[in-house]
């Protein structure tokens, strides 16, 4: 099975590359700029055709949530137009596309976890552009999986876990928002779920459950609770630690509004694909321990 993933430098792409190397019979090819640039849709079809994929994973995205408020044209070019072109190319190649989306398509006002049929109402440019991307993917052809995820972290790239470890190395206390709730989701788990789903699509040529799914970590917390678990795990692993103080969203103003509730129910994905993410604490510990060990190794070898 050959997977083509767009967004070579992203957390999910890096996680898929690593996971693919550990699985017999799986080849993951990651493409990104300059060869494949979603802001230049004329590059998409020829580059994708040359990769000869069995499955396309559309993971490339414009993810600078606050900056998107100042760059709406670029956000829409990548997240909407570009995503649509990737899906169109996959349809022309006759292969399914798995497209990654976000909890930011919701406004966060629901009292409990969002399900796939809940009305969408993004609060800012980023969420609106990702919702437009979902619509473009669905319009390109019927053989698609849209996977909405949230609070993604990993050993790769920039993310909340790495930020907390970096800040803890320099500070005694860190202030973190405590009134936004969600499901921390490891990109390593996302990669595992994608490979699991892709194998099912590969085996079942008449797969009938294409559509939109939520795919997030099991369990919920707020950002400050997430930060505490990261740093407590770091301390136990020999890494940096700092106290975490709760603040409100109003105490930490940002250009783009964030949903207060980003919780996603992944029950539909579990029911169709028979795959559940580990508890978010377990997945967080795995990534933190790996980062602390890697940092220690780099220091000792310097």
């Amino acid at each position: 099975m050959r997977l083509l993933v767009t967004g070579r430098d992203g957390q999910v792409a890096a996680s898929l590359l690593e996971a693919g190397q550990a699985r017999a019979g799986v080849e993951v090819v990651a493409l990104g700029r300059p060869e494949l640039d979603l802001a230049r849709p004329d590059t998409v079809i020829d580059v994708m055709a040359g990769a000869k994929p069995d499955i396309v994973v559309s993971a490339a995205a414009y993810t600078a949530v606050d900056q998107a408020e100042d760059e709406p044209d670029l956000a829409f070019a990548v997240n909407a137009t570009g995503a649509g072109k990737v899906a169109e190319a996959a349809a022309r190649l006759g292969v399914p596309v798995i497209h990654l989306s976000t909890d930011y398509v919701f406004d966060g006002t629901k009292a409990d976890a969002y399900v796939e049929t809940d009305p969408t109402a993004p609060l800012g440019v980023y969420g609106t552009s990702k919702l437009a991307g979902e619509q473009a993917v669905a319009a390109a052809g019927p053989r698609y999986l849209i996977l909405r995820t949230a609070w993604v972290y990993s050993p790769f790239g920039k993310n909340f876990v790495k930020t907390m470890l970096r800040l803890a190395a320099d500070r005694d206390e860190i202030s973190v928002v405590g009134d936004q709730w969600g499901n921390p989701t490891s990109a390593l788990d996302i990669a595992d779920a994608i490979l699991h789903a892709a194998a099912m699509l590969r085996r079942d040529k008449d797969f009938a459950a294409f559509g939109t799914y939520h795919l997030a970590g099991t369990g919920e917390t707020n950002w400050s609770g997430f930060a505490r678990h990261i740093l407590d795990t770091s301390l136990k692993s020999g890494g940096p630690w700092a106290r975490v103080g709760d603040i409100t969203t109003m105490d930490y103003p940002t250009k783009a509004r964030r949903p207060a509730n980003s919780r996603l129910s992944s029950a539909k994905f579990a029911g169709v694909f028979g795959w559940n993410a580990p508890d978010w604490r377990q997945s967080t510990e795995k990534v933190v321990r790996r980062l602390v060990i890697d940092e220690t190794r780099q220091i000792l070898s310097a």
Side-chain angles (χ1 to χ4, degrees), residues 161-174:
V161 170
K162 284 189 169 185
T163 297
M164 291 300 102
L165 293 174
R166 174 176 53 80
L167 292 177
D170 297 325
R171 304 181 187 181
D172 295 327
E173 184 168 352
I174 305 170

Side-chain angles (χ1 to χ4, degrees), residues 47-114:
V47 174
M48 286 179 55
K52 296 183 172 62
D54 297 307
I55 307 280
V56 171
V57 180
S58 177
Y62 180 108
T63 58
V65 175
D66 291 315
Q67 195 171 333
E69 298 297 312
D70 296 323
E71 297 180 335
D73 291 344
L74 181 56
F76 273 85
V78 175
N79 292 343
T81 305
K85 289 298 180 183
V86 169
E88 289 174 13
R92 288 176 61 181
L93 295 171
V95 300
V97 61
I98 299 174
H99 175 72
L100 291 178
S101 191
T102 175
D103 55 308
Y104 277 55
V105 300
F106 299 113
D107 63 10
T109 59
K110 187 179 178 182
D112 52 5
Y114 281 93

Side-chain angles (χ1 to χ4, degrees), residues 263-288:
R263 292 174 293 171
L264 301 177
S265 169
S266 301
K268 179 183 174 183
F269 187 89
V272 171
F273 293 99
W275 188 94
N276 284 286
D279 183 90
W280 70 268
R281 298 170 188 84
Q282 177 184 340
S283 294
T284 300
E285 290 162 10
K286 180 179 178 181
V287 170
V288 171

Side-chain angles (χ1 to χ4, degrees), residues 179-259:
D179 58 358
Q180 294 175 19
W181 291 79
N183 316 99
T185 310
S186 169
L188 302 178
D189 294 336
I190 295 173
D192 185 59
I194 287 174
L195 290 174
H196 179 85
M200 286 184 62
L201 299 183
R202 182 76 170 140
R203 289 193 303 267
D204 184 0
K205 300 299 184 182
D206 299 316
F207 185 78
F210 285 106
T212 300
Y213 293 83
H214 292 169
L215 177 62
T218 297
E220 63 187 51
T221 188
N222 55 23
W223 284 113
S224 57
F226 188 19
R228 287 189 186 94
H229 192 65
I230 292 165
L231 297 179
D232 287 347
T233 302
S234 173
L235 179 63
K236 293 175 184 177
S237 305
W241 181 86
R243 292 182 299 275
V244 175
D246 284 35
I247 59 173
T248 68
T249 298
M250 292 186 65
D251 295 326
Y252 188 72
T254 54
K255 184 165 291 188
R257 294 170 61 199
R258 267 72 169 170

